[in-house]
């Protein structure tokens, strides 16, 4: 564990090379496994305290911790944890979604919150397209056939469905949704979108059509891709009613959060052929219980919440976290502050 003696929060840690002059940051244990050059980004500005070491040496480290780095939604930011960190100035979250953080509670402790928007939009949009293509062309099934020791010949009548020229409905035209639309334009898809607010500039850039009612999007789309933030309003946004509106040949793709979809309703829809297939980078919980029916369905593709999991994207996320933490300790506005609604 790093030395946890008291540090001067006003010290100029942008230029200092003396580790003793740096403020302390408490890092999620999940970050222990990140590449070393990622961690070096943090070490330029902070002395690192790993959470497991903090738990064992709380009395030493609680007074000096000024920044908390949350990665993969850990550690859990509870009232007890906040009370144990009297000099905490900022919590920086790896990722855009902060549904796992009680912003009102954190604000009452005078602590700011920052996240990492924009930098993960391209990687997550790529993942959305990858899932769509893999589902349409039955890629996982095909790989299993090609690699199976029982395969002696390929079935020439084994087919998937087209992506090019079909209709994609995007639910949520934020940064990620727009990046998806840009890619879909390259596939010559008709692009529909449903959003809380109409995005005239974005729809003109990609030739998208705004659906004020989600029902219109669901009824017309061959592929429905969810790219909304998780909020109280979007929990179970897609349930039995919405699934029943989709084409029986349609595919549901989720690159947002698992709670946005009613999974029980999705299982039933897939089993009964209400929709053709689902491709999910996110579920609830994560991972799913090992007996969950989604794990064994041939018309389902699951990936382990890896939308932003590329080397450069994750490194950029960490750089954003550092920038927000440094700003808070310097008393300047956070580049990416998240405030309670």
């Amino acid at each position: 564990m790093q030395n946890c003696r008291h540090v001067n929060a006003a010290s100029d840690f942008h230029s200092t090379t003396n580790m003793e002059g740096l403020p302390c940051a408490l890092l999620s244990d999940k970050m222990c496994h990140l590449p070393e050059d990622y961690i070096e980004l943090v070490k330029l500005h902070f002395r690192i305290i790993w959470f497991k070491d903090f738990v064992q040496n709380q009395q030493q480290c609680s007074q000096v911790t000024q920044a908390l780095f949350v990665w993969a939604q850990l550690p859990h930011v509870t009232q007890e944890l906040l009370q144990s960190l009297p000099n905490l100035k900022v919590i920086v979250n790896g990722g855009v979604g902060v549904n796992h953080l009680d912003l009102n509670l954190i604000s009452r402790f005078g602590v700011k919150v920052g996240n990492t928007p924009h930098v993960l939009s391209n990687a997550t949009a790529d993942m959305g397209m990858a899932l769509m293509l893999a589902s349409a062309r039955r890629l996982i099934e095909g790989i299993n056939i090609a690699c199976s020791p029982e395969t002696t010949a390929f079935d020439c009548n084994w087919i998937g469905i087209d992506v090019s020229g079909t209709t994609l409905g995007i639910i949520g035209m934020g940064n990620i949704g727009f990046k998806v639309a840009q890619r879909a334009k390259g596939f010559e898809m008709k692009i529909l979108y449903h959003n809380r607010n109409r995005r005239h500039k974005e729809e003109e850039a990609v030739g998208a059509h705004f659906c004020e009612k989600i029902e219109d999007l669901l009824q017309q789309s061959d592929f429905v891709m969810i790219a909304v933030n998780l909020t109280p309003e979007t929990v179970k946004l897609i349930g039995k009613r919405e699934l029943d509106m989709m084409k029986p040949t349609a595919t549901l793709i989720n690159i947002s959060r698992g709670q946005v979809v009613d999974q029980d309703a999705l299982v039933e829809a897939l089993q009964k052929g209400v929709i053709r297939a689902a491709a999910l980078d996110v579920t609830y919980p994560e991972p799913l219980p090992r007996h969950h029916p989604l794990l064994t369905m041939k018309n389902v593709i699951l990936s382990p919440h890896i939308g932003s999991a590329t080397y450069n994207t994750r490194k950029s996320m960490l750089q954003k976290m550092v920038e927000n933490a440094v700003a808070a300790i310097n008393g300047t506005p956070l580049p990416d502050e998240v405030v309670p609604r």
Side-chain angles (χ1 to χ4, degrees):
M1 186 185 71
Q2 300 285 342
N3 189 340
C4 295
R5 289 181 295 170
H6 184 70
V7 296
N8 180 5
S11 61
D12 181 7
F13 51 83
H14 285 286
S15 58
T16 184
T17 57
N18 178 10
M19 289 296 291
E20 292 301 316
L22 301 181
C24 288
L26 179 59
L27 269 62
S28 166
D29 291 338
K30 288 282 186 179
M31 301 176 73
C32 289
H33 306 293
L34 293 175
E36 183 58 33
D37 59 328
Y38 283 29
I39 302 304
E40 288 301 320
L41 293 174
V42 183
K43 289 181 178 179
L44 286 172
H45 302 286
F46 295 96
R47 286 188 289 140
I48 293 175
I49 304 170
W50 297 107
F51 193 77
K52 63 180 183 297
D53 296 327
F54 169 79
V55 171
Q56 296 174 1
N57 300 274
Q58 185 170 326
Q59 187 173 359
Q60 283 181 286
C61 299
S62 61
Q63 295 294 321
V64 297
T65 297
Q66 296 183 61
L68 172 60
F69 283 59
V70 176
W71 193 267
Q73 301 190 12
L74 292 173
H76 299 301
V77 181
T78 62
Q79 180 168 325
E80 181 182 11
L81 178 60
L82 291 167
Q83 288 172 336
S84 72
L85 298 170
N87 294 308
L88 184 67
K89 291 182 171 61
V90 63
I91 296 172
V92 286
N93 182 69
V96 179
V98 292
N99 53 285
H100 52 290
L101 299 175
D102 187 335
L103 298 179
N104 289 299
L105 172 66
I106 294 167
S107 179
R108 289 200 294 271
F109 281 84
V111 176
K112 295 182 180 297
V113 174
N115 65 348
T116 62
H118 311 302
V119 295
L120 51 75
S121 299
N122 278 316
T124 306
D126 286 347
M127 188 67 193
M129 297 301 290
L131 287 169
M132 180 167 62
L133 291 165
S135 179
R137 300 305 297 270
R138 299 169 63 188
L139 184 61
I140 304 302
E141 292 178 76
I143 291 171
N144 290 336
I145 291 170
C147 297
S148 171
E150 299 176 2
T151 298
T152 57
F154 294 151
D155 183 356
C156 63
N157 294 317
W158 189 90
I159 58 175
I161 60 172
D162 288 315
V163 170
S164 297
T166 61
T167 298
L168 170 64
I170 301 170
I171 301 176
M173 186 65 92
N175 294 321
I176 294 171
F178 178 60
K179 293 292 185 180
V180 170
Q182 288 180 316
R183 287 152 176 75
K185 183 180 180 181
F187 280 85
E188 300 176 350
M189 302 183 82
K190 179 181 179 181
I191 304 165
L192 309 178
Y193 78 97
H194 172 74
N195 200 60
R196 185 170 50 188
N197 301 307
R198 188 166 184 175
R199 307 292 297 275
H200 292 279
K201 181 179 177 182
E202 286 79 2
E203 70 180 61
E204 289 174 8
V206 295
H209 302 275
F210 176 61
C211 294
E212 184 175 357
K213 296 181 179 179
I214 195 172
E215 292 85 353
D216 294 335
L217 179 148
L218 294 170
Q219 290 166 0
Q220 298 178 60
S221 299
D222 299 299
F223 299 91
V224 174
M225 192 174 303
I226 309 169
V228 298
N229 291 327
L230 179 62
T231 66
E233 293 75 27
T234 61
V235 172
K236 294 188 177 180
L237 178 67
I238 302 299
K240 184 180 187 306
R241 173 180 172 273
E242 291 73 26
L243 291 164
D244 286 344
M245 292 179 185
M246 293 173 62
K247 297 179 180 181
T249 55
T251 300
L252 181 70
I253 303 143
N254 190 3
I255 54 172
S256 59
R257 288 291 187 271
Q259 296 97 314
V260 173
V261 175
D262 182 336
Q263 285 182 168
D264 292 337
L266 177 60
V267 168
E268 182 179 359
L270 290 164
Q271 289 172 336
K272 293 183 176 181
V274 174
I275 63 173
R276 171 187 172 272
L280 314 171
D281 186 44
V282 289
T283 59
Y284 183 75
E286 292 176 347
L288 288 171
R290 296 297 87 185
H291 61 273
H292 199 282
L294 286 174
L295 298 175
T296 55
M297 291 183 171
K298 287 187 176 181
N299 55 346
V300 174
I301 292 178
L302 296 172
S303 55
H305 201 152
I306 53 173
S308 66
T310 70
Y311 180 85
N312 287 334
T313 297
R314 289 282 172 89
K315 189 173 183 179
S316 295
M317 287 167 59
L318 191 56
Q319 181 65 55
K320 277 273 189 181
M321 295 170 74
V322 170
E323 290 172 4
N324 280 290
V326 167
I329 291 174
N330 280 348
T332 59
L334 275 65
D336 307 292
E337 184 172 0
V338 184
V339 297
R341 296 180 64 183

